[in-house]
Amino acid sequence: MTHFGAVVRNRRERMHLEDRRFSLRQVAQRVGIEPAYLSKIERGDVAPPSEATTIRLARELGEDPDVFLAMAGKVSSDLQEIVRKRPRLFADLIRQLKAAPDDAILRVVREVRDGDW
Amino acid sequence: MITLEDDRLVFRFPEVHENARCVIEFQRTLRIPDDDTDYPLPPGLGPLPLRQLDDYARRLPENWQRRGGVIAPMHQAEAMWIEFEANSGFPSYPFAVKIASGKVCAITGDTWVNHLNDDPQDYVTLPEQPWLDGYCVEKGVIRQFVAMRLGKGYTVEEQLTGAARHGGIQIAVYPMKRERYRELAARETRVRYAKMPPGVVACMAPCEMGLAPGGRMRQEVYDDPYGLGVWDQRRSSRCFVTIANSTQWMAITGERPPTVPPTARRYTDAGLPWFEWYGGDAAAVAGSKKLKSLASVARMGESEDETPLPENETIEVNRVIGLRSSDSTRVREFSTDEPTHA
């Protein structure tokens, strides 16, 4: 299985091919970590970073923060809070939907209602 | 279908294509001086909060409830811009997007209709158009979206129709037809990285607030490079965004609205950057004579002997960051804890 760091490195290097601002050093600077630490993350020498850093990395690299968090083995704190407030309801909902196809899950998502205007 | 995710409207058309997804966000920004100078693009100061209107139905007037959609707070005379993101899949799934305020098209000045027109073009296309800051008054020039109370005569709706019935912002998104996207994808055989967002139809409507034309800004609205026939007009989605002033917002949601943005003078004097967008070879639409004929907020205030825009002094912009369509990121935001991308 591809580790988190490899995905980060692959993504960053692809962007670096077209934009020199995506060097290891500049990305680390914008994300607010040391270049040496980002290098270790990319090599898989250290565990994935904190939730906040993972989210900043995702946004910097144009990726979905939830997807990056999942690859890092984490669940965002706002999702945890949602489940904590109504644990039985959401746990049951998630288990029931675990094998459902994407379009079926989208059908239970709350939509923005279009009215009469 | 439209969902509200982290203050962003996410439009999906899973029945058309799995990549048919686009995101629309309303960015807070500083108000540029309304002095007939052409300014560069101001920064994004973070998204306007959006809430499902239905969550507060009991506190809302009946005509607000009927519109559905979402609600957003804006201060009197506050400016905003609309950010489009259509980067789902490769190539990015294209969309046509209509934008109106008070049910008046921001591109042509015509009354809202639910279909697309190409003569004159009354929509923008994604991923070509990264954002829209105002009304298209000339080729390469817009007048900034500025929130004003309905009933005072400043809004585009009131100036063009003589009535203050709708207010707010209306947006509609149409995906490219599935078969045309497949043809497009087949042509894009060379693998390259592209970052752009997707789209649908949404509408933002005012209740007590509408949008009026503010200062002039250099921004092109691009010609449709695909042609009217590629858009799937049977599958559009709509959303109405109601604008509440800050007092209404607190009464309705119980939340504090964002703080008032800094003035253009304070922002610029702090050495912070403005922006310029280079869209490459893309052609721009001509601009609307109807919209060009409207009085800006400051001009109308002069004729009414009012001062609707405090701190409207001319400023000199020296620090401008160029952004290009070929860039893999299009950062036009300033935050105090991260450096801006040069």
Side-chain angles (χ1 to χ4, degrees), chain A residues 11 14-15 18-19 21-22 29-30 56 60-62 78 106 109-117, chain B residues 1-3 52 54-55 65-69 103 112 170 193 203 238-240 328-329 341-342:
Chain A
R11 179 72 169 167
R14 279 171 58 201
M15 297 175 83
E18 298 198 351
D19 191 335
R21 293 174 305 167
F22 286 87
Q29 185 184 35
R30 289 194 294 271
R56 286 201 299 273
E60 178 64 28
L61 299 176
D78 68 313
L106 283 173
V109 167
R110 186 183 181 195
E111 295 188 44
V112 174
R113 177 177 65 85
D114 183 25
D116 178 19
W117 50 271
Chain B
M1 64 180 292
I2 307 170
T3 55
Q52 295 259 12
D54 286 345
D55 288 352
Q65 293 177 40
R66 203 169 50 234
R67 293 166 173 159
K103 295 186 72 171
W112 178 272
Q170 295 77 41
Y193 172 68
C203 162
R238 303 188 322 166
C239 170
F240 193 100
S328 49
T329 57
H341 301 200

Side-chain angles (χ1 to χ4, degrees), chain B residues 101-236:
Chain B
S101 68
K103 295 186 72 171
V104 172
C105 177
I107 312 300
T108 65
D110 293 332
T111 302
W112 178 272
V113 290
N114 283 328
H115 60 269
L116 300 170
N117 291 299
D118 63 353
D119 187 21
Q121 180 180 315
D122 62 358
Y123 57 93
V124 301
T125 62
L126 312 187
E128 290 75 21
Q129 192 80 33
W131 38 64
L132 185 73
D133 284 58
Y135 302 98
C136 183
V137 295
E138 290 175 29
K139 185 172 185 175
V141 179
I142 59 97
R143 275 200 182 272
Q144 191 177 29
F145 293 130
V146 175
M148 296 296 286
R149 242 184 78 191
L150 281 181
K152 303 288 282 182
Y154 287 95
T155 65
V156 164
E157 175 187 4
E158 290 166 277
Q159 290 196 53
L160 281 176
T161 70
R165 293 179 53 205
H166 305 291
I169 301 171
Q170 295 77 41
I171 301 175
V173 182
Y174 308 79
M176 179 176 271
K177 292 173 181 170
R178 176 172 35 200
E179 58 274 21
R180 303 306 292 264
Y181 177 69
R182 284 178 176 160
E183 291 168 16
L184 180 71
R187 285 200 301 273
E188 297 274 358
T189 51
R190 194 167 63 87
V191 176
R192 71 180 176 85
Y193 172 68
K195 180 181 187 293
M196 288 285 185
V200 182
V201 179
C203 162
M204 183 166 185
C207 309
E208 293 261 330
M209 300 284 276
L211 294 181
R216 289 168 58 97
M217 194 187 303
R218 295 187 292 275
Q219 182 176 66
E220 293 184 321
V221 173
Y222 298 114
D223 263 331
D224 178 359
Y226 307 101
L228 187 65
V230 308
W231 307 114
D232 192 340
Q233 298 197 50
R234 296 169 307 165
R235 316 265 187 190
S236 67

Side-chain angles (χ1 to χ4, degrees), chain A:
Chain A
M1 182 178 164
T2 309
H3 67 74
F4 174 75
V7 175
V8 171
R9 181 171 58 193
N10 181 273
R11 179 72 169 167
R12 184 187 59 74
E13 288 182 343
R14 279 171 58 201
M15 297 175 83
H16 192 212
L17 288 176
E18 298 198 351
D19 191 335
R20 60 191 170 81
R21 293 174 305 167
F22 286 87
S23 67
L24 183 92
R25 186 180 60 80
Q26 290 196 46
V27 168
Q29 185 184 35
R30 289 194 294 271
V31 169
I33 57 178
E34 291 295 325
Y37 180 46
L38 179 56
S39 177
K40 286 179 181 174
I41 293 170
E42 290 191 349
R43 292 198 309 268
D45 290 348
V46 294
S50 68
E51 177 184 340
T53 300
T54 302
I55 290 172
R56 286 201 299 273
L57 255 179
R59 291 186 173 142
E60 178 64 28
L61 299 176
E63 291 288 351
D64 187 307
D66 284 324
V67 172
F68 255 38
L69 283 169
M71 284 193 299
K74 301 174 192 290
V75 176
S76 70
S77 48
D78 68 313
L79 288 180
Q80 292 181 43
E81 183 60 26
I82 290 168
V83 175
R84 263 197 295 270
K85 279 186 177 168
R86 289 187 280 184
R88 186 176 296 172
L89 180 66
F90 279 104
D92 189 39
L93 178 70
I94 291 167
R95 287 193 183 101
Q96 286 194 38
L97 291 174
K98 70 175 182 182
D102 289 358
D103 60 338
I105 293 173
L106 283 173
R107 280 199 292 274
V108 303
V109 167
R110 186 183 181 195
E111 295 188 44
V112 174
R113 177 177 65 85
D114 183 25
D116 178 19
W117 50 271

